Amino acid sequence: MHLVEDQVFEKQDFTVNRLPKGDYDYCTFINCNFSESLLSEIKFQECEFIDCNLSSANITYTSFQDVQFKRCKMLGLHFENCNTFGLALTIDDCMLDHSSFYQVGLKTSRITNTKCVHVDFTEADLSGVNLEDCDFTNATFQNTVLERTDFRKAKYYRIHPEHNKLKGAKFALEGISGLLETYQITIE
């Protein structure tokens, strides 16, 4: 397997030439285009993606271990298809719209200041995850483990308390309507 360590990739278009399969350790990708590209079976360990476009990339069997995404466009990614062993993501100021984390364990991850519009978190485990300043418009939470998850600064979520595990989850008073909307009651 091809091993790449401590390299910086800047302004590269991987839609034309695929990133070679291999292990990428401590690498930084800046302003690179991976849109609709093939990233399957690649291992990223302690890597950073800054201002990159990964929209609709194929991440089947891709490994993300302690990987940071900053200001990235990550539309339509299917994290349930990646290698979830050791999965640890830090996602900050990104666009995750239409992505899916179906049955993915995210306990060791952090998602902040990110648009999560139409993101599927069905049966995912977000125990203890800080979701500060995230927009969850039309996101799906179904049989999701949200124990000790911090929603206090999150917005536009709709979570059915009876269909999710919420023990110890934190919510701000102004966001409480996102928990009660399903009951069709009026809060004034």
Side-chain angles (χ1 to χ4, degrees):
M1 194 53 104
H2 186 65
L3 175 63
V4 180
E5 293 182 305
D6 297 308
Q7 284 205 18
V8 175
F9 299 85
E10 195 164 359
K11 295 181 181 176
Q12 299 213 17
D13 188 352
F14 294 107
T15 62
V16 177
N17 294 314
R18 178 187 174 177
L19 182 69
K21 282 186 186 181
D23 292 355
Y24 292 81
D25 296 353
Y26 312 103
C27 292
T28 303
F29 299 88
I30 303 168
N31 201 16
C32 293
N33 187 6
F34 297 94
S35 180
E36 297 184 24
S37 66
L38 204 55
L39 293 176
S40 59
E41 300 179 42
I42 295 176
K43 180 180 177 186
F44 296 102
Q45 185 171 327
E46 295 190 45
C47 291
E48 223 177 353
F49 291 84
I50 302 167
D51 297 313
C52 293
N53 182 358
L54 294 105
S55 297
S56 299
N58 182 335
I59 56 173
T60 303
Y61 304 117
T62 304
S63 180
F64 295 105
Q65 297 178 356
D66 200 14
V67 174
Q68 296 183 17
F69 297 93
K70 295 178 185 174
R71 296 180 307 277
C72 290
K73 192 173 177 182
M74 305 167 69
L75 310 178
L77 293 180
H78 289 272
F79 286 93
E80 70 272 13
N81 294 334
C82 72
N83 180 349
T84 57
F85 178 78
L87 179 74
L89 306 170
T90 299
I91 300 172
D92 182 46
D93 198 16
C94 294
M95 290 176 48
L96 265 176
D97 301 1
H98 302 282
S99 291
S100 175
F101 291 93
Y102 176 70
Q103 295 183 331
V104 174
L106 294 166
K107 290 192 281 192
T108 57
S109 296
R110 179 180 164 93
I111 304 172
T112 55
N113 194 33
T114 293
K115 284 189 67 181
C116 299
V117 177
H118 287 284
V119 172
D120 185 1
F121 291 104
T122 301
E123 297 181 24
D125 187 348
L126 285 95
S127 299
V129 176
N130 178 359
L131 300 171
E132 185 175 321
D133 295 322
C134 289
D135 176 350
F136 291 103
T137 302
N138 295 315
T140 303
F141 295 95
Q142 183 70 28
N143 297 321
T144 308
V145 181
L146 300 167
E147 296 175 347
R148 299 173 321 282
T149 303
D150 193 345
F151 282 94
R152 289 179 293 180
K153 293 185 180 179
K155 56 189 174 194
Y156 310 126
Y157 51 82
R158 286 189 308 227
I159 300 170
H160 196 298
E162 294 166 11
H163 298 149
N164 295 281
K165 294 180 181 178
L166 296 171
K167 185 177 182 180
K170 298 174 186 171
F171 296 92
L173 189 56
E174 57 268 8
I176 206 76
S177 63
L179 291 172
L180 302 175
E181 186 176 293
T182 189
Y183 300 111
Q184 298 177 354
I185 59 176
T186 303
I187 303 167
E188 295 181 0

